[in-house]
Amino acid sequence: MEVQDQESLGRWDGLGSRDASSRTEAMENICQDVMRKVEAIGPMPALAPSPPASGSPPNSDLNDILAHLLMLSKRCPFEDVKEQCIRLLQAVQDLGVRIPRPLGNGPSRFIPEKEILQVSKVDARTQSIFEDAFAALGRLDNISLVMGFHPQYLESFLRTQHYLLQMDGPLSLHYRHYIGIMAAARHQCSYLVNLHVNDFLQVGGDPKWLNGLDEAPQKLQQLGELNKILAHRPWLLTKEHIERLLKAEEHSWSLAELIHAVVLLTHYHSLASFTFGCGITPEIHCDGGHTFRPPSLSQYCMCDIANGNSHANHHDDLLGNQDMCGEVEVLMERMKQLQECRDDEEASQEEMATRFEREKTESMLVVTAEDEECVPSRDISRHFEDPSYGYKDFSRRGEHVPTFRVQDYSWEDHGFSLVNRLYPDVGQMLDEKFQMAYNLTYNTMATHKDVDTSMLRRAIWNYIHCMFGIRYDDYDYGEINQLLDRSFKIYIKTMVCSPEKTTKRMYESFWRQFQHSEKVHVNLLLMEARMQAELLYALRAITRYMT
């Protein structure tokens, strides 16, 4: 999508107003603008020639507006704007201009669209959060729609992200979006890259920087090493890496800027995990989200099948049901037995340490993906250096992830205060977001009510930290093998370490009796645990540099 001029941006902004008359006025201005552009094209021939290969007619300015209207007609939380956009698109089509249609079926390839969109219809709080998000950004993105299953968490997430990207802070706005692009590109997450390319241009970023990291300022280029290590092997980060950034003469970073950059990098690395883990699809108005080609029957069917949103979704799979019957009950029984064992006996410190090391070693041997190496496209890899550097299974090469004891450096006692001191309020926001994801519960498991899921949530969180070498002395890591089966571990490892390799089959193969909302909750846990693990390593390195 091309960056639009300030005047037209103002018109779109009016659609986010809480005041219905302001929205109507903004919509009228947009209608007039669209009709002027349509008239300028002149009369349409009865049989328009085929569009170019991209499926997009030549008049790109009008196309961008029509794609934006299509997005609003499907995603705007204000019904009046939705209806007016539908009417305007119909009027344009009646004049013989080809209008776009959405590609794919909804915000996620893994979750049926009707289930996602149903949430805001029945929950007033979710609807209100969606309206606030739309007012702030002029869009309601697919990530927010999927997170809408958990409105308490979504509110905390959006507040934090808004602060990081738009409120007062050490870094300029275009730097913030560029760092978002760099971080998302490490995992080849074109969804987030495209979103922030648009935002980067809208806040006045230099388009030349988008040609590649080597076209960006030296200061941003120097962040490449930190980006790479944090994304894939954060335990290798040392105070020397920090020193190089803070003492780079005219290109040096201040401590406050570096904290802001670290929070953004870890935010977008983990958000890339969530994006792939939930099968998030391109935004309707962005590349890959719409087409100007008319639907053909065969294409349409294939599209449905490819998106996995045909009528046979995995919750109705009768053959699979025989296979997995009792999966939830078995898990609940194990939780009960573990609780009883906890009450009866306590393992020694030596035994607890041994169980951690065993689980850490085993986690290295969990195979992440079914397919071969993903090679990033030039379009994405230009935003970072050293594309071959990724998460590797260290144990196979005799490498070892050192143990990071939370008792020596924790988020609560060390990281939180460091962030808050150098970037006020952000430590508090991150802490609330971590707590929200960790403590979120509806006391249900699939169809069972009044279940205490705290043991399961802790096992998931601690397993992720264990993969990063982080150990809690008071936790019995023997519980992990009892509660997390192999298919779930494969999903967790892939989503956290190599999210670009996550497949629909992996998503469907774990916890097959559970609701989609419960799987989204798992993904929130994975995202936040990953972010905290990366942050702990970065903040510890900064603390060591400072002392």
Side-chain angles (χ1 to χ4, degrees), residues 33-248:
D33 188 37
V34 169
M35 285 310 180
R36 266 199 307 274
K37 286 180 169 17
V38 169
E39 283 162 18
I41 298 172
M44 295 284 134
L47 280 168
S50 297
S54 67
S56 178
N59 187 2
S60 89
D61 183 33
L62 178 60
N63 289 349
D64 288 342
I65 294 173
L66 293 176
H68 207 89
L69 287 168
L70 177 69
M71 178 271 288
L72 293 170
S73 74
K74 299 282 185 187
R75 298 283 179 261
C76 182
F78 299 109
E79 282 302 321
D80 55 333
V81 173
K82 252 184 177 170
E83 286 163 14
Q84 286 170 300
C85 289
I86 291 168
R87 281 204 298 272
L88 178 54
L89 285 167
Q90 187 59 56
V92 169
Q93 189 174 36
D94 291 346
L95 289 169
V97 174
R98 184 170 288 172
I99 62 168
R101 61 185 176 85
L103 282 172
N105 285 347
S108 162
R109 289 185 297 115
F110 301 167
I111 307 169
E113 181 173 26
K114 62 178 183 296
E115 213 170 307
I116 296 168
L117 301 183
Q118 194 57 35
V119 178
S120 61
K121 290 192 177 79
V122 295
D123 189 318
R125 181 177 184 183
T126 307
Q127 176 63 19
S128 172
I129 296 167
F130 282 175
E131 288 172 6
D132 288 344
F134 185 80
L137 285 172
R139 63 171 182 255
L140 185 56
D141 59 42
N142 290 340
I143 286 176
S144 299
L145 284 165
V146 171
M147 285 182 183
F149 281 117
H150 305 286
Q152 283 173 290
Y153 173 84
L154 175 60
E155 206 163 18
S156 176
F157 172 84
L158 289 173
R159 188 186 316 121
T160 307
Q161 186 169 263
H162 180 72
Y163 197 94
L164 290 175
L165 291 175
Q166 289 167 288
M167 303 298 281
D168 284 348
L171 293 173
S172 60
L173 295 182
H174 62 297
Y175 260 57
R176 300 179 199 195
H177 289 296
Y178 198 82
I179 291 167
I181 293 167
M182 286 173 67
R186 277 273 26 135
H187 286 306
Q188 302 153 47
C189 186
S190 56
Y191 171 85
L192 288 172
V193 169
N194 289 337
L195 222 50
H196 285 282
V197 162
N198 284 338
D199 292 342
F200 171 78
L201 293 170
Q202 281 194 359
V203 298
D206 184 343
K208 281 212 298 288
W209 298 9
L210 299 174
N211 293 334
L213 189 57
D214 50 359
E215 297 268 348
Q218 190 67 35
K219 186 170 174 173
L220 281 167
Q221 289 183 40
Q222 283 170 337
L223 205 61
E225 181 78 1
L226 181 68
N227 182 25
K228 178 173 85 170
I229 294 171
L230 271 180
H232 306 294
R233 308 179 199 177
W235 47 89
L236 297 181
L237 200 61
T238 64
K239 66 177 183 182
E240 284 72 32
H241 291 112
I242 303 303
E243 187 171 12
R244 281 201 288 275
L245 289 165
L246 296 172
K247 294 191 170 174

Side-chain angles (χ1 to χ4, degrees), residues 7 28 190 210 265 281 353 369 421 500:
E7 190 190 343
E28 281 169 3
S190 56
L210 299 174
L265 289 172
T281 55
R421 192 165 85 240
E500 60 279 7

Side-chain angles (χ1 to χ4, degrees), residues 498-534:
S498 311
E500 60 279 7
K501 295 179 180 177
T502 310
T503 63
K504 187 165 193 267
R505 193 163 92 191
M506 284 180 199
Y507 174 87
E508 290 181 348
S509 67
F510 85 90
W511 283 12
R512 287 173 296 176
Q513 282 182 309
F514 285 71
Q515 308 291 324
H516 284 296
S517 60
E518 290 171 306
K519 291 192 170 193
V520 171
H521 183 189
V522 165
N523 286 342
L524 296 178
L525 272 173
L526 304 190
M527 172 170 81
E528 294 299 346
R530 175 184 179 177
M531 181 175 183
Q532 194 182 89
E534 281 190 35

